[in-house]
Amino acid sequence: MDLQSHAPTTENVTWLKERVRGIHERNRQRGTASWCGHSYDFTCPSHKTYPFQWFWDSCFHAIALSHIDIKKAEAELFSLLKNQHDDGFISHVTFWQRDVYEEMVSTYDIAFRTKYLSDEMQPPLLAEAVHAVAHRGRGIEFIKEILPGVIRFYEWCHSVRSPFGDGLIRVIQPDETGLDHSPKWDELMKIHDEEHISFERGWKLICDQYLPFNRDPKKMIDTNYFVVADVMVNVIYIENLRVLSRLCASLGDTEGEKRYADRAALARKSLEDLCWDDLDGLYYDVNGKENKKIRVNTFTSLMPLLLSDIDQAKSDRLMAHVLNPEEYWATYPIPSTAMNHPTFRPNTVGGNLVWRGPTWMNSNWYLARGLIRHGRMDLARHIANQSIECMKTSGVREYYNPNDATGWGAPDFSWSTILLDLVMEVSS
Ligand code: GLC
């Protein structure tokens, strides 16, 4: 495949904007929830399978919406923060309209804090979303209104989920990474096949351990079974602490500016010390107090490309993995699992096990922007152009076969609209 390194065509940009607009119309949820007394106004991930508000989905939605409808973008984030808990935690799912979908909820594997709010986190890209919405919208005024809640959330990440003094945050169950069935977790979940039922068993194996002490955060971490410093989650955390530091600076809060820059620096250093693997030239997640490496080659091993300050020798090695046609350089890059890993499957498998091969738009958004930061606009444009091709071939789907762009998962999947942000960036 020749490199499609031209800026996306005007026709394609217009085509994409129309799709994005349509999806945020069709998937919009508005109303008032009697269980909390708040009104809501957000885009759900998919009408068919995910009618509720998910944390990282909403952040992607807000960034996409910042290009087409700033009011909706703001409403998305305000809705996300409405049920923030007293300790600063924000549930990864807010089941605003749960009572209408009780049957659907019974099919999910999710840990609950209350009937309507989950007890799980998701990758913390809230600061990036706030920045995008402020930047294209009301600027400082919006930042002033929303920042207190945002800060409380990052304080929760720090005080509850960074237990080992290395500045990295830990997830305590696989779905907290947003990468539910990634083959990275197979060993810890004792998964040996591709059946959905095995995943459910694995999820319970981890989460049932937490029930006797009522999911007390400290005790969950003390089990030291699934206490993972995930590379993607932490790259996102580091990037967002840096953005948060700048948001504080924009309000003249010099203490906040320093606090979050320092936290980013510590986590950044630990990522190098604990996760870099010089043998393979990849970053790997580490588990438990012992920081045991999980040596499975998935796209998250490439995520530190997002950080502009990784040293050249390391970014060159990551880049070589990206461009290796046996690993990540598919016709429609970037597959979620390396193509030469034994678990790689280009299509959906086992009753919808996800993140085991297909290409997703949110990971492309992160990785392509990382490539730009390392001087490879040509590759980022190629990824953007091929991603548009995926959508033109199969519609706006949840994920795509990296060989032939067949679409899988939910149709009209909202976070795939994050592609618009990448397309705008590579067009300028
Ligand atoms: C799936 C994804 C998760 C996402 C959710 C809603 O569970 O793995 O990352 O947030 O769907 O789209």
Side-chain angles (χ1 to χ4, degrees), residues 45 50 54-57 92 122 175 177-181 354-355 360 398 413 415:
Y50 310 116
W54 265 262
F55 181 96
W56 78 324
D57 298 66
H92 94 303
Q122 262 190 339
D175 38 337
T177 61
L179 314 174
D180 308 28
H181 318 123
V354 290
W355 301 103
W360 293 67
E398 199 170 349
F413 186 64
W415 91 28

Side-chain angles (χ1 to χ4, degrees), residues 203-222:
W203 188 88
K204 281 195 172 34
L205 170 85
I206 293 163
C207 295
D208 284 0
Q209 298 179 44
Y210 303 148
L211 296 178
F213 37 82
N214 204 17
R215 294 186 63 89
D216 174 276
K218 190 170 171 323
K219 291 183 180 153
M220 287 196 281
I221 288 169
D222 284 347

Side-chain angles (χ1 to χ4, degrees), residues 32-156:
T32 303
S34 53
W35 58 269
C36 60
H38 294 306
S39 59
Y40 54 86
D41 181 7
F42 68 96
T43 302
C44 70
S46 143
H47 244 115
K48 281 211 169 123
T49 42
Y50 310 116
F52 310 111
Q53 184 168 28
W54 265 262
F55 181 96
W56 78 324
D57 298 66
S58 261
C59 295
F60 292 122
H61 302 164
I63 297 168
L65 281 165
S66 71
H67 291 279
I68 56 163
D69 188 331
I70 211 73
K71 280 213 173 93
K72 274 192 186 151
E74 282 196 4
E76 183 94 27
L77 296 180
F78 283 129
S79 295
L80 185 62
L81 282 159
K82 280 206 178 143
N83 291 290
Q84 182 167 26
H85 300 263
D86 289 344
D87 58 358
F89 169 69
I90 300 174
S91 293
H92 94 303
V93 188
T94 306
F95 294 88
W96 289 105
Q97 345 79 315
R98 172 168 180 158
D99 301 323
V100 186
Y101 296 101
E102 210 50 71
E103 222 173 284
M104 193 184 287
V105 177
S106 68
T107 66
Y108 295 157
D109 290 310
I110 280 183
F112 288 90
R113 203 182 254 214
T114 71
K115 184 176 171 198
Y116 299 95
L117 296 164
S118 73
D119 191 42
E120 302 180 26
M121 66 173 293
Q122 262 190 339
L125 55 130
L126 183 58
E128 280 179 289
V130 167
H131 172 263
V133 176
H135 175 65
R136 298 192 188 89
R138 291 190 293 126
I140 294 286
E141 285 313 306
F142 175 66
I143 297 173
K144 261 191 207 151
E145 284 169 38
I146 203 152
L147 207 62
V150 175
I151 285 180
R152 289 205 298 126
F153 169 68
Y154 286 98
E155 286 301 318
W156 176 86

Side-chain angles (χ1 to χ4, degrees), residues 231-240 271 303-304 306-307:
V231 172
M232 181 193 77
V233 170
N234 278 287
V235 167
I236 291 176
Y237 182 54
I238 293 164
E239 172 74 4
N240 276 264
L271 186 78
M303 275 291 288
L306 187 72
L307 307 169

